[in-house]
Amino acid sequence: MKFKLLAVFLVASLSSFANITLPTFFSSGMVLQQKSKVKIWGWGKTGEPIQVVTSWDNNQVVSKTDTYGKWSVEVETPIYGGPYEISIKGYNEIILKNILIGEVWVVSGQSNMEWSAASGIDNAETEIQKANFPEIRFFGVNHATAPHPQQNLSGEWQVCSPESMKNFSAIGYYFAKHIFENIQVPVGIINTSWGGTPAESWTPEESIKADPVLYKDALSLKEVPWGPVKTASIYNAMVAPLAGLKIKGFLWYQGESNVMNAANYDKLLCTLIGSWRKAWAEELPFYFVQIAPYKYGGPEEGVILRNAQRMAVAVPNSAMVTISDIGNIDDIHPKNKKDVGIRLANVALKNLYSAYKGDISGPKLLLFESKKGQIILFFDTQDLKCDKNCMNNFEIADTSGEFKKANVRIKSNTIVLTNSKVAYPVFARFEWSSSAEASLKNKQGLPASAFITDNWWQFKNY
């Protein structure tokens, strides 16, 4: 409470001698979400009259700063287009120029989302030279932490060019490029990512504390030299200031830093999604990347986390892309970022823009049936492509939790698993190893997720 009063005092003090100011993401070169009521806000002197005029309709909206020096207005944005200008006038005037109207996405996570062409991606030099898209704009949020939610952050808008693309999120770029090429609408990408950080640091403190399991996990995290682990420390500085900005949705690629508490990651990710949507007061689309196979310290911690991510898709208006076919078990930072960005974009193109008719995920396990001597797995497609490795990647177990390799029989959309030494199988698992790579795909070549049919370690004292 003391901090909140201090923050209010600081804003009020600054506004007592400053003219109107804006958050950094309201600036020339930005992209605003099309066909929406877009909130624009800032600060000024207490009681200062504010006039906002948008060039696309010459409409004037008025406001006045409140007791704490803050003001806000809502403007109606048209269908995509531009460039436009916005005049914001109080005792001083700010003119924002070269504004595009289009689709705005927030991308976030740890190093694989932050990873740029300069960091090393496939065909980096060629891709950098081709990155001339004036209709795509980037906003990179600078690293910062805070003990409490902040009102502003550090960053700037840049037009997509070889120079700006080189150091921006490669996945964010490929996503934007694929969206733009398919629907010809300007795209703005706000990248707020930080390598080596756990999901707890991206989640509001009250959301973590509300769940005893998540709170216990958060307290067990050990400090590391490459990034913060404290609950909400990054959220407060790099996400909270964006809340309220009209966007289309979120993209998320994170999880490698949570393999040590992987069993609860589905609950953690669902909590993060819910808390962000609460901050934006909107059930925005949330599309995330399942981490790639990798040789972690333990043989199963990576796959336990991937399975937890698979289960988190139960959250409405969410989707997961699987990349177990394009990873590198010897490199936690796979260099193929292009296909990751395209797969995320195809989810959006199909779900939101009706511009893609192909599959956006590999075979999904819908349910399973346990019978004497066998387990039957039911998938969402009849096009199950099971290679030689796939036949060796299924296991079954009885209530002892002792898994044994299964004999595999595929028929239509089902896979029947048997083993003569398992009379009453109740559990089944697939690709159950941190480094197991894609072996079951659909006709489009998209891989199925590794999975287990239940939390069997609860029965085995795992």
Side-chain angles (χ1 to χ4, degrees), residues 254-269:
Q254 189 276 338
E256 298 89 346
S257 289
N258 280 101
V259 294
M260 76 293 295
N261 56 4
N264 300 319
Y265 188 82
D266 55 329
K267 180 181 287 191
L268 177 58
L269 182 55

Side-chain angles (χ1 to χ4, degrees), residues 20 37 74 110 182 184 192 207 219 299 314 316 328 352 372 407-408 453:
I20 54 170
K37 287 185 177 180
E74 277 191 345
Q110 57 180 107
N182 277 271
Q184 295 295 301
T192 178
S207 299
L219 292 176
N328 184 337
L352 305 177
K372 182 178 180 180
N407 298 309
V408 179
T453 54

Side-chain angles (χ1 to χ4, degrees), residues 362-375:
K364 288 183 180 179
L365 178 67
L366 297 178
L367 53 91
F368 70 98
E369 183 179 352
S370 180
K371 294 184 176 182
K372 182 178 180 180
Q374 66 180 23
I375 286 184

Side-chain angles (χ1 to χ4, degrees), residues 268-290:
L268 177 58
L269 182 55
C270 292
T271 298
L272 182 148
I273 295 170
S275 66
W276 287 24
R277 287 175 171 172
K278 181 180 179 181
W280 263 262
E282 189 175 356
E283 193 174 283
L284 293 162
F286 195 102
Y287 303 148
F288 60 95
V289 182
Q290 186 183 57

Side-chain angles (χ1 to χ4, degrees), residues 141-322:
V141 177
N142 295 325
H143 289 179
T145 62
H148 300 280
Q150 300 298 291
Q151 297 190 57
N152 203 354
L153 43 69
S154 175
E156 64 176 329
W157 283 100
Q158 293 181 305
V159 175
C160 176
S161 67
E163 183 179 358
S164 62
M165 174 271 190
K166 182 178 181 179
N167 296 297
F168 194 75
S169 163
I171 290 174
Y173 163 71
Y174 284 123
F175 174 87
K177 178 175 179 286
H178 199 61
I179 294 290
F180 173 72
E181 289 176 338
N182 277 271
I183 64 174
Q184 295 295 301
V185 172
V187 181
I189 300 291
I190 299 173
N191 175 35
T192 178
S193 304
W194 192 332
T197 54
E200 288 88 348
S201 62
W202 294 93
T203 308
E205 186 172 20
E206 63 271 18
S207 299
I208 296 292
K209 284 186 172 181
D211 189 300
V213 173
L214 297 184
Y215 188 45
K216 181 179 178 181
D217 282 349
L219 292 176
S220 70
L221 293 174
K222 296 179 180 180
E223 294 292 336
V224 294
W226 51 81
V229 301
K230 184 176 174 57
T231 297
S233 56
I234 303 178
Y235 172 84
N236 290 335
M238 296 177 61
V239 178
L242 296 167
L245 177 65
K246 188 66 177 179
I247 62 173
K248 191 68 173 183
F250 302 106
L251 306 179
W252 176 254
Y253 189 167
Q254 189 276 338
E256 298 89 346
S257 289
N258 280 101
V259 294
M260 76 293 295
N261 56 4
N264 300 319
Y265 188 82
D266 55 329
K267 180 181 287 191
L268 177 58
L269 182 55
C270 292
T271 298
L272 182 148
I273 295 170
S275 66
W276 287 24
R277 287 175 171 172
K278 181 180 179 181
W280 263 262
E282 189 175 356
E283 193 174 283
L284 293 162
F286 195 102
Y287 303 148
F288 60 95
V289 182
Q290 186 183 57
I291 63 172
Y294 174 68
K295 294 177 181 177
Y296 290 95
E300 296 182 355
E301 56 191 15
V303 72
I304 291 173
L305 191 129
R306 294 205 304 276
N307 185 62
Q309 289 178 310
R310 177 185 70 90
M311 293 190 293
V313 181
V315 173
N317 205 15
S318 70
M320 180 184 78
V321 299
T322 306

